[in-house]
Amino acid sequence: DDDDDEDEDDKADLADEKLAAEADDITLNENTIESRVQIPVCEGIIKEKPDFDGEEGISKLRKAFKGWGVDKDAVVEVMLSGNNAQRQTLHKLYKTMYGKVLQKSLKSEVGKKSGRLVQALMMSPSDYDAWSIKQAVDGLGTTDDTLIEIISTRSNQEIMELCASYKTLYKKDLEDVIIKETSGSYRNLLISLLQGGRNEGTDVDEDLAHREAELLHKSTKGWSTDKSSLNQVIALRNSAQLRATCNKYLEIAGVDITRTLKKRLPSHLSKGMIAIVQCARNPSRYFAEKIYRACKGLGVRDEMLMRIIVTRCEVDMVQIKEMYPSIAGKTLAKAIKEETTGHYEDLLLGLIGEFDGYKKK
């Protein structure tokens, strides 16, 4: 029985935690507590371009690939010429015009970090999420931060598209993969989220918020923690309702729910639940903190940096940019300029609306 194994699984979860994950603990500042329950406004930087010309873009790429080396300036310009839906039209156009697979041509011509970023930009959002999870579960150990970031923050529709993409690309059910790669209450949380059944309404029931805040408080007192009750509330309720419940919890317990979760739960489970709470409160702050952690310390965690900027540039990058200085003490553009170089830097700056293009030669 899975439930009978939860305590042992949770102990193993704690024992196996890597030092890198310890250094990646979620910042629990008091200013992350949102007293309002209204849904935050979200706006992307990259939007559909009315003057997008797919044939012109393909011709530019074809010319960039000719001769010795590759004209990476041209590749950057094409990648930034439209939004993801417009870039997806380039696949069929390239094959129709030249009888070749665009993704393969780009991979052979553009390498290193800028090449990996180009590959990410040429995937659909659901395919890129599926690819990121595949990378996270391949090899020795599982990169749980990636699983948490993607599965805990996507909408019901995005979860359904992710599961479909994973099945198409890798011939496996994502739920079966998660069951194999994770354990205990942490696995239960991820499986709950993969059902795509989360309430996505905007209504708030204050009486329900009070009752469930009492339930959360009762579930986290004493010697044991009732993880099932935590899962029931945190994995099911809409963002506004969850914010209201967390505010009531603060009144009842005298401490923010994120601090209780971090103190009472194994690392992976607490990170997953805290990610849901933080995204319910202010998703742009959550992702701004993730970018900050990707850039701090010795060396950049490039896959994390790419993934967040690529997946959020059309969603809430305006708010992420606004939030970033309060977390890092500098603008997001400055952080990217300090930590990256070359065409990789140009592409990242373009995706946050801070790249002015190349001067005509």
Coordinates of all heavy atoms in Angstrom, one line a residue, residues 9-88:
D9 N 9.3 6.5 2.8 CA 9.6 7.3 1.6 C 10.1 8.7 1.9 O 11.0 9.2 1.3 CB 8.4 7.3 0.6 CG 8.1 6.0 0.0 OD1 9.1 5.2 -0.1 OD2 7.0 5.7 -0.4
D10 N 9.3 9.3 2.8 CA 9.7 10.7 3.2 C 11.0 10.8 3.9 O 11.8 11.7 3.7 CB 8.6 11.3 4.1 CG 7.3 11.5 3.4 OD1 7.3 11.5 2.1 OD2 6.3 11.6 4.0
K11 N 11.4 9.8 4.7 CA 12.7 9.7 5.3 C 13.8 9.6 4.2 O 14.8 10.2 4.3 CB 12.8 8.6 6.3 CG 12.0 8.8 7.6 CD 12.0 7.5 8.5 CE 11.2 7.7 9.7 NZ 11.1 6.5 10.5
A12 N 13.5 8.7 3.3 CA 14.5 8.5 2.2 C 14.6 9.8 1.4 O 15.7 10.2 0.9 CB 14.0 7.4 1.3
D13 N 13.5 10.5 1.2 CA 13.5 11.8 0.5 C 14.4 12.8 1.1 O 15.2 13.4 0.5 CB 12.1 12.3 0.4 CG 11.9 13.5 -0.5 OD1 12.7 13.7 -1.4 OD2 10.9 14.2 -0.3
L14 N 14.3 12.8 2.5 CA 15.2 13.7 3.2 C 16.6 13.3 3.1 O 17.5 14.2 3.0 CB 14.7 13.8 4.7 CG 13.4 14.6 5.0 CD1 12.9 14.2 6.4 CD2 13.7 16.0 4.8
A15 N 16.9 12.0 3.3 CA 18.3 11.5 3.3 C 19.0 11.7 1.9 O 20.2 12.0 1.9 CB 18.2 10.0 3.6
D16 N 18.2 11.6 0.9 CA 18.8 11.7 -0.5 C 19.0 13.1 -1.0 O 19.4 13.4 -2.1 CB 17.9 10.9 -1.5 CG 18.0 9.4 -1.2 OD1 18.9 9.0 -0.5 OD2 17.1 8.7 -1.7
E17 N 18.5 14.1 -0.2 CA 18.5 15.5 -0.7 C 20.0 16.0 -1.0 O 20.9 15.8 -0.2 CB 17.9 16.4 0.3 CG 17.5 17.8 -0.2 CD 16.5 17.8 -1.3 OE1 15.9 16.7 -1.5 OE2 16.3 18.8 -1.9
K18 N 20.2 16.6 -2.1 CA 21.6 17.0 -2.5 C 21.9 18.3 -1.9 O 21.0 19.2 -1.6 CB 21.7 17.0 -4.0 CG 21.4 15.7 -4.7 CD 21.5 15.8 -6.2 CE 21.1 14.5 -6.9 NZ 21.1 14.6 -8.3
L19 N 23.2 18.6 -1.8 CA 23.7 19.9 -1.3 C 23.2 21.0 -2.2 O 22.9 22.1 -1.7 CB 25.2 19.9 -1.2 CG 25.8 19.0 -0.1 CD1 27.3 19.1 -0.2 CD2 25.3 19.5 1.3
A20 N 23.1 20.8 -3.5 CA 22.7 21.8 -4.4 C 21.3 22.2 -4.1 O 20.9 23.4 -4.2 CB 22.8 21.4 -5.9
A21 N 20.4 21.3 -3.8 CA 19.1 21.6 -3.5 C 19.0 22.4 -2.2 O 18.1 23.2 -2.1 CB 18.2 20.3 -3.4
E22 N 19.8 22.0 -1.2 CA 19.8 22.8 0.0 C 20.1 24.3 -0.2 O 19.5 25.1 0.4 CB 20.9 22.2 1.0 CG 20.6 20.8 1.5 CD 19.4 20.8 2.4 OE1 19.0 21.9 3.0 OE2 18.8 19.7 2.6
A23 N 21.1 24.5 -1.2 CA 21.4 25.9 -1.5 C 20.3 26.6 -2.2 O 20.3 27.8 -2.4 CB 22.7 25.9 -2.3
D24 N 19.3 25.8 -2.7 CA 18.3 26.4 -3.6 C 17.0 26.6 -2.8 O 15.9 26.7 -3.4 CB 18.1 25.4 -4.7 CG 17.7 26.1 -6.0 OD1 18.0 27.3 -6.1 OD2 17.1 25.5 -6.9
D25 N 17.1 26.6 -1.5 CA 15.9 26.8 -0.7 C 15.1 28.0 -1.1 O 15.6 29.0 -1.4 CB 16.2 26.9 0.8 CG 16.3 25.5 1.5 OD1 15.9 24.5 0.8 OD2 16.9 25.4 2.6
I26 N 13.8 27.9 -1.0 CA 12.9 29.0 -1.4 C 13.0 30.1 -0.4 O 12.9 29.9 0.8 CB 11.4 28.5 -1.6 CG1 11.4 27.5 -2.8 CG2 10.5 29.6 -1.8 CD1 10.1 26.8 -2.9
T27 N 13.1 31.3 -1.0 CA 13.2 32.5 -0.1 C 11.8 32.7 0.5 O 10.8 32.8 -0.2 CB 13.6 33.7 -0.9 OG1 14.8 33.4 -1.5 CG2 13.7 34.9 0.0
L28 N 11.7 32.8 1.8 CA 10.4 33.0 2.5 C 10.4 34.3 3.2 O 10.3 34.5 4.4 CB 10.2 31.8 3.5 CG 10.2 30.4 2.9 CD1 10.1 29.4 4.0 CD2 9.1 30.3 1.9
N29 N 10.4 35.4 2.4 CA 10.4 36.8 2.9 C 8.9 37.1 3.3 O 8.0 36.6 2.7 CB 10.9 37.8 1.9 CG 12.3 37.6 1.6 OD1 13.1 37.2 2.5 ND2 12.7 37.8 0.3
E30 N 8.8 37.9 4.3 CA 7.4 38.3 4.7 C 6.7 39.0 3.6 O 5.4 39.0 3.5 CB 7.5 39.2 5.9 CG 8.0 38.5 7.2 CD 7.1 37.4 7.6 OE1 5.9 37.4 7.3 OE2 7.6 36.4 8.2
N31 N 7.4 39.7 2.7 CA 6.7 40.4 1.6 C 6.2 39.5 0.5 O 5.6 40.0 -0.4 CB 7.6 41.5 1.0 CG 8.8 41.0 0.4 OD1 9.0 39.7 0.3 ND2 9.7 41.8 -0.1
T32 N 6.3 38.2 0.7 CA 5.7 37.3 -0.3 C 4.2 37.0 0.1 O 3.5 36.5 -0.6 CB 6.4 35.9 -0.4 OG1 6.3 35.3 0.9 CG2 7.8 36.1 -0.7
I33 N 3.8 37.5 1.3 CA 2.5 37.2 1.8 C 1.6 38.3 1.2 O 1.8 39.5 1.3 CB 2.4 37.3 3.3 CG1 3.3 36.3 4.0 CG2 1.0 37.2 3.8 CD1 3.5 36.4 5.5
E34 N 0.6 37.9 0.5 CA -0.3 38.8 -0.2 C -1.6 38.9 0.5 O -2.4 37.9 0.7 CB -0.6 38.2 -1.7 CG 0.6 38.1 -2.5 CD 1.1 39.5 -3.0 OE1 0.2 40.4 -3.1 OE2 2.3 39.6 -3.4
S35 N -2.0 40.1 1.0 CA -3.2 40.2 1.8 C -4.4 40.3 0.9 O -5.5 39.9 1.3 CB -3.1 41.5 2.6 OG -2.9 42.7 1.7
R36 N -4.2 40.6 -0.4 CA -5.4 40.7 -1.3 C -5.6 39.3 -1.9 O -4.7 38.5 -2.0 CB -5.1 41.6 -2.5 CG -4.9 43.1 -2.0 CD -4.4 44.0 -3.1 NE -3.1 43.5 -3.5 CZ -2.6 43.5 -4.8 NH1 -3.4 43.9 -5.7 NH2 -1.4 43.1 -5.1
V37 N -6.8 39.0 -2.3 CA -7.1 37.7 -2.9 C -7.4 37.8 -4.4 O -7.7 36.8 -5.1 CB -8.3 37.0 -2.2 CG1 -8.0 36.8 -0.8 CG2 -9.6 37.9 -2.3
Q38 N -7.4 39.0 -5.0 CA -7.6 39.2 -6.4 C -6.5 38.5 -7.2 O -5.4 38.5 -6.8 CB -7.7 40.7 -6.8 CG -9.0 41.4 -6.3 CD -8.8 41.8 -4.8 OE1 -7.7 41.8 -4.3 NE2 -10.0 42.1 -4.2
I39 N -6.9 38.0 -8.4 CA -5.9 37.4 -9.3 C -4.9 38.5 -9.8 O -5.4 39.5 -10.3 CB -6.6 36.7 -10.5 CG1 -7.6 35.7 -10.0 CG2 -5.6 36.1 -11.5 CD1 -6.9 34.5 -9.3
P40 N -3.6 38.3 -9.7 CA -2.7 39.3 -10.2 C -2.8 39.4 -11.7 O -3.1 38.5 -12.5 CB -1.3 38.7 -9.8 CG -1.6 37.7 -8.8 CD -2.9 37.2 -9.1
V41 N -2.5 40.6 -12.2 CA -2.5 40.9 -13.7 C -1.2 40.3 -14.3 O -0.2 40.3 -13.7 CB -2.5 42.4 -13.9 CG1 -2.4 42.7 -15.4 CG2 -3.8 43.0 -13.4
C42 N -1.4 39.7 -15.4 CA -0.2 39.1 -16.1 C -0.1 39.6 -17.5 O -1.2 39.6 -18.2 CB -0.3 37.5 -16.1 SG -0.2 36.8 -14.5
E43 N 1.1 39.9 -18.0 CA 1.2 40.3 -19.4 C 2.6 39.9 -19.9 O 3.6 40.0 -19.2 CB 1.1 41.9 -19.5 CG 1.3 42.4 -20.9 CD 1.2 43.9 -21.0 OE1 1.1 44.6 -19.9 OE2 1.4 44.4 -22.1
G44 N 2.6 39.3 -21.1 CA 3.8 38.9 -21.7 C 4.5 40.0 -22.5 O 3.9 41.0 -22.8
I45 N 5.8 39.8 -22.7 CA 6.6 40.7 -23.6 C 6.4 40.3 -25.0 O 6.2 41.2 -25.9 CB 8.1 40.7 -23.2 CG1 8.3 41.2 -21.7 CG2 8.9 41.4 -24.2 CD1 8.2 42.7 -21.6
I46 N 6.6 39.0 -25.3 CA 6.5 38.6 -26.7 C 5.1 38.3 -27.1 O 4.4 37.6 -26.5 CB 7.4 37.3 -26.9 CG1 8.8 37.5 -26.5 CG2 7.3 36.8 -28.3 CD1 9.6 38.5 -27.3
K47 N 4.7 39.0 -28.2 CA 3.3 38.9 -28.6 C 3.3 38.6 -30.1 O 4.3 38.8 -30.8 CB 2.5 40.2 -28.3 CG 2.5 40.5 -26.8 CD 1.9 41.8 -26.5 CE 1.9 42.1 -25.0 NZ 1.3 43.4 -24.6
E48 N 2.1 38.3 -30.6 CA 2.0 38.0 -32.1 C 2.3 39.3 -32.8 O 1.9 40.4 -32.5 CB 0.5 37.6 -32.4 CG 0.3 37.3 -33.8 CD -1.1 36.9 -34.1 OE1 -1.9 36.6 -33.1 OE2 -1.5 36.8 -35.3
K49 N 3.2 39.1 -33.9 CA 3.6 40.2 -34.7 C 2.8 40.3 -36.0 O 2.8 39.4 -36.7 CB 5.1 40.1 -35.0 CG 6.0 39.9 -33.8 CD 6.3 41.3 -33.1 CE 7.2 41.1 -31.9 NZ 8.5 40.7 -32.3
P50 N 2.1 41.4 -36.2 CA 1.2 41.5 -37.4 C 2.0 41.5 -38.7 O 1.5 41.1 -39.7 CB 0.5 42.8 -37.2 CG 1.3 43.6 -36.2 CD 1.9 42.6 -35.3
D51 N 3.3 41.9 -38.6 CA 4.1 41.9 -39.8 C 5.0 40.7 -40.0 O 5.9 40.7 -40.8 CB 5.0 43.2 -39.9 CG 5.9 43.3 -38.6 OD1 5.7 42.5 -37.7 OD2 6.8 44.1 -38.7
F52 N 4.7 39.6 -39.2 CA 5.5 38.4 -39.3 C 5.3 37.8 -40.7 O 4.2 37.7 -41.3 CB 5.0 37.4 -38.3 CG 5.7 36.0 -38.4 CD1 6.9 35.8 -37.8 CD2 5.1 35.0 -39.0 CE1 7.6 34.6 -37.9 CE2 5.7 33.7 -39.1 CZ 6.9 33.5 -38.5
D53 N 6.5 37.5 -41.3 CA 6.5 36.9 -42.7 C 7.3 35.6 -42.6 O 8.5 35.6 -42.6 CB 7.1 37.9 -43.7 CG 7.0 37.4 -45.1 OD1 7.0 36.1 -45.3 OD2 7.0 38.2 -46.0
G54 N 6.6 34.4 -42.6 CA 7.3 33.2 -42.4 C 8.2 32.8 -43.6 O 9.3 32.3 -43.4
E55 N 7.8 33.1 -44.8 CA 8.6 32.8 -46.0 C 9.9 33.6 -46.0 O 11.0 33.1 -46.3 CB 7.9 33.1 -47.3 CG 6.8 32.1 -47.5 CD 6.2 32.2 -48.9 OE1 6.9 32.7 -49.8 OE2 5.0 31.8 -49.1
E56 N 9.8 34.9 -45.6 CA 11.0 35.7 -45.5 C 11.9 35.2 -44.4 O 13.1 35.2 -44.6 CB 10.6 37.2 -45.1 CG 11.8 38.1 -45.0 CD 11.4 39.5 -44.6 OE1 10.2 39.9 -44.8 OE2 12.2 40.2 -44.0
G57 N 11.3 34.7 -43.3 CA 12.2 34.2 -42.2 C 12.9 32.9 -42.6 O 14.1 32.8 -42.3
I58 N 12.2 32.0 -43.3 CA 12.9 30.8 -43.8 C 14.0 31.1 -44.8 O 15.0 30.5 -44.8 CB 11.8 29.9 -44.5 CG1 10.9 29.3 -43.4 CG2 12.5 28.8 -45.2 CD1 11.6 28.5 -42.3
S59 N 13.7 32.1 -45.7 CA 14.7 32.5 -46.7 C 16.0 33.0 -46.0 O 17.1 32.8 -46.4 CB 14.2 33.5 -47.7 OG 13.1 33.0 -48.4
K60 N 15.7 33.8 -44.9 CA 16.8 34.4 -44.2 C 17.6 33.3 -43.5 O 18.9 33.3 -43.4 CB 16.3 35.4 -43.1 CG 17.3 36.2 -42.4 CD 16.7 37.1 -41.4 CE 16.1 38.3 -42.1 NZ 15.7 39.4 -41.1
L61 N 16.9 32.3 -42.9 CA 17.7 31.2 -42.3 C 18.5 30.4 -43.3 O 19.6 30.0 -43.1 CB 16.7 30.2 -41.6 CG 16.0 30.7 -40.3 CD1 15.0 29.7 -39.8 CD2 17.1 31.0 -39.2
R62 N 17.9 30.1 -44.5 CA 18.5 29.4 -45.5 C 19.8 30.1 -45.9 O 20.9 29.4 -46.1 CB 17.6 29.2 -46.7 CG 18.2 28.4 -47.9 CD 18.4 27.0 -47.6 NE 18.7 26.2 -48.8 CZ 19.0 24.9 -48.8 NH1 19.1 24.3 -47.7 NH2 19.3 24.3 -50.0
K63 N 19.7 31.4 -46.1 CA 20.9 32.2 -46.4 C 22.0 32.1 -45.3 O 23.2 32.1 -45.6 CB 20.5 33.6 -46.7 CG 21.6 34.5 -47.2 CD 21.1 35.9 -47.5 CE 22.2 36.8 -47.9 NZ 21.8 38.2 -48.2
A64 N 21.5 32.2 -44.1 CA 22.4 32.1 -42.9 C 23.2 30.9 -42.8 O 24.3 30.8 -42.3 CB 21.6 32.3 -41.6
F65 N 22.6 29.8 -43.3 CA 23.3 28.4 -43.2 C 24.3 28.2 -44.3 O 25.1 27.3 -44.3 CB 22.2 27.3 -43.3 CG 21.2 27.3 -42.2 CD1 20.0 26.7 -42.4 CD2 21.5 27.9 -41.0 CE1 19.1 26.6 -41.3 CE2 20.6 27.9 -39.9 CZ 19.4 27.3 -40.1
K66 N 24.3 29.0 -45.4 CA 25.2 28.8 -46.5 C 26.6 29.3 -46.2 O 26.8 30.2 -45.4 CB 24.7 29.6 -47.7 CG 23.4 28.9 -48.4 CD 23.0 29.6 -49.6 CE 21.9 28.9 -50.3 NZ 21.5 29.6 -51.6
G67 N 27.6 28.7 -46.9 CA 29.0 29.1 -46.7 C 29.6 28.6 -45.5 O 29.1 27.7 -44.8
W68 N 30.8 29.1 -45.2 CA 31.5 28.7 -44.0 C 30.9 29.4 -42.7 O 30.6 30.6 -42.7 CB 33.0 29.1 -44.1 CG 33.7 28.3 -45.1 CD1 34.0 28.7 -46.4 CD2 34.2 27.0 -45.0 NE1 34.7 27.7 -47.0 CE2 34.8 26.6 -46.2 CE3 34.2 26.0 -43.9 CZ2 35.4 25.4 -46.4 CZ3 34.8 24.8 -44.2 CH2 35.4 24.5 -45.4
G69 N 30.6 28.6 -41.7 CA 30.0 29.1 -40.5 C 28.5 29.4 -40.7 O 27.9 29.1 -41.8
V70 N 27.9 30.1 -39.8 CA 26.5 30.4 -39.8 C 26.3 31.9 -39.4 O 27.0 32.3 -38.5 CB 25.6 29.5 -39.0 CG1 26.1 29.5 -37.5 CG2 24.2 29.8 -39.1
D71 N 25.4 32.6 -40.0 CA 25.1 33.9 -39.7 C 24.2 33.9 -38.5 O 23.0 33.9 -38.6 CB 24.5 34.7 -40.9 CG 24.2 36.1 -40.6 OD1 24.5 36.6 -39.4 OD2 23.7 36.8 -41.5
K72 N 24.8 33.9 -37.3 CA 23.9 33.8 -36.1 C 23.1 35.1 -35.8 O 22.0 35.0 -35.2 CB 24.8 33.5 -34.8 CG 25.4 32.1 -34.8 CD 26.1 31.8 -33.5 CE 26.6 30.4 -33.5 NZ 27.3 30.1 -32.2
D73 N 23.5 36.2 -36.3 CA 22.7 37.4 -36.2 C 21.4 37.2 -36.9 O 20.3 37.6 -36.4 CB 23.4 38.6 -36.9 CG 24.6 39.1 -36.2 OD1 25.0 38.5 -35.2 OD2 25.2 40.1 -36.6
A74 N 21.4 36.6 -38.1 CA 20.2 36.3 -38.8 C 19.3 35.3 -38.1 O 18.0 35.5 -38.0 CB 20.5 35.8 -40.2
V75 N 19.9 34.3 -37.5 CA 19.1 33.3 -36.7 C 18.4 34.0 -35.5 O 17.2 33.8 -35.3 CB 20.0 32.2 -36.2 CG1 19.2 31.2 -35.3 CG2 20.6 31.4 -37.4
V76 N 19.1 34.9 -34.8 CA 18.5 35.6 -33.7 C 17.4 36.5 -34.2 O 16.3 36.5 -33.6 CB 19.6 36.5 -33.0 CG1 18.9 37.5 -32.0 CG2 20.6 35.6 -32.3
E77 N 17.5 37.1 -35.3 CA 16.5 38.0 -35.8 C 15.2 37.2 -36.2 O 14.1 37.7 -35.9 CB 17.0 38.8 -37.0 CG 18.0 39.9 -36.7 CD 18.7 40.5 -37.9 OE1 18.5 39.9 -39.0 OE2 19.3 41.5 -37.8
V78 N 15.4 36.0 -36.7 CA 14.2 35.2 -37.1 C 13.6 34.7 -35.8 O 12.3 34.7 -35.7 CB 14.6 34.0 -38.0 CG1 13.5 33.1 -38.2 CG2 15.2 34.6 -39.3
M79 N 14.4 34.3 -34.8 CA 13.8 33.7 -33.6 C 12.9 34.8 -32.9 O 12.0 34.5 -32.2 CB 14.9 33.2 -32.7 CG 15.6 32.0 -33.1 SD 14.5 30.5 -33.4 CE 14.5 30.5 -35.2
L80 N 13.3 36.1 -33.0 CA 12.6 37.1 -32.3 C 11.6 37.9 -33.2 O 11.0 38.9 -32.8 CB 13.7 38.2 -31.8 CG 14.7 37.7 -30.8 CD1 15.7 38.8 -30.5 CD2 14.0 37.2 -29.5
S81 N 11.3 37.3 -34.4 CA 10.4 38.0 -35.3 C 9.0 37.7 -35.1 O 8.1 38.3 -35.7 CB 10.8 37.6 -36.8 OG 10.5 36.2 -37.0
G82 N 8.6 36.8 -34.2 CA 7.2 36.5 -33.9 C 7.1 35.8 -32.6 O 8.1 35.6 -31.9
N83 N 5.9 35.4 -32.2 CA 5.7 34.6 -31.0 C 5.8 33.1 -31.3 O 6.1 32.7 -32.4 CB 4.3 35.0 -30.4 CG 3.2 34.5 -31.2 OD1 3.3 33.9 -32.3 ND2 2.0 34.8 -30.8
N84 N 5.6 32.3 -30.3 CA 5.8 30.8 -30.5 C 4.9 30.3 -31.5 O 5.4 29.5 -32.4 CB 5.6 30.1 -29.1 CG 5.9 28.6 -29.2 OD1 5.1 27.8 -29.7 ND2 7.1 28.3 -28.9
A85 N 3.7 30.6 -31.6 CA 2.7 30.1 -32.6 C 3.2 30.5 -34.0 O 3.1 29.6 -34.9 CB 1.3 30.7 -32.3
Q86 N 3.7 31.6 -34.2 CA 4.3 32.0 -35.5 C 5.5 31.3 -35.8 O 5.7 30.9 -37.0 CB 4.5 33.6 -35.5 CG 3.2 34.3 -35.5 CD 3.4 35.8 -35.3 OE1 4.2 36.3 -34.5 NE2 2.6 36.6 -36.1
R87 N 6.4 31.1 -34.8 CA 7.6 30.3 -35.1 C 7.3 28.9 -35.5 O 8.0 28.3 -36.3 CB 8.5 30.3 -33.8 CG 9.3 31.5 -33.6 CD 10.4 31.3 -32.6 NE 10.0 30.9 -31.3 CZ 9.5 31.7 -30.3 NH1 9.5 33.0 -30.5 NH2 9.1 31.2 -29.2
Q88 N 6.2 28.3 -34.9 CA 5.8 26.9 -35.2 C 5.5 26.7 -36.7 O 5.7 25.7 -37.3 CB 4.7 26.4 -34.4 CG 5.0 26.4 -32.9 CD 6.3 25.6 -32.6 OE1 6.4 24.5 -33.0 NE2 7.2 26.3 -31.9

